[in-house]
Amino acid sequence: MGIDPNFDSNREKVGEENGVDVWGPVDPPEKLGIHGMHVAVDYDLCVADGACLENCPVDVFTWVDTPGHPESERKVEPTREDQCIDCMLCVDICPVDAIDVDGSRV
Ligand code: F3S
Ligand code: F3S
């Protein structure tokens, strides 16, 4: 199962990292929650495939290190989610459905 598209209703915002909202539960290093709002990445699903970062036409994503996480030791932070043009390429390309993009979430 991929990222919950209703995470902003179903989860609590627990803080911010790198200027991006973080939605719990969070219990590092094993559990890191969902990062983002308009462009959201489920850090507990991301396996660091990198196709989203390499192919986003407006370079929304930045690598961050997540040592000790069971799925991967780095993740993509949607640091420039305000630049997203809703092309949905990242949503379609992610092999584990870790990304949700919703233009109504800002
Ligand atoms: Fe980039 Fe994904 Fe938006 S590929 S433009 S962050 S829909
Ligand atoms: Fe992670 Fe999926 Fe991107 S696995 S690095 S969110 S393509």
Side-chain angles (χ1 to χ4, degrees), residues 38-40 51-53 55-61 78 80-81 83-93 99-102:
H38 181 145
V39 179
C52 56
L53 179 145
N55 291 287
C56 175
V58 291
D59 293 332
V60 161
F61 303 101
R80 288 181 290 274
E81 60 182 336
Q83 300 296 306
C84 174
I85 56 172
D86 297 343
C87 74
M88 297 297 171
L89 188 149
C90 57
V91 172
D92 293 339
I93 209 168
I99 304 179
D100 188 61
V101 172
D102 186 339

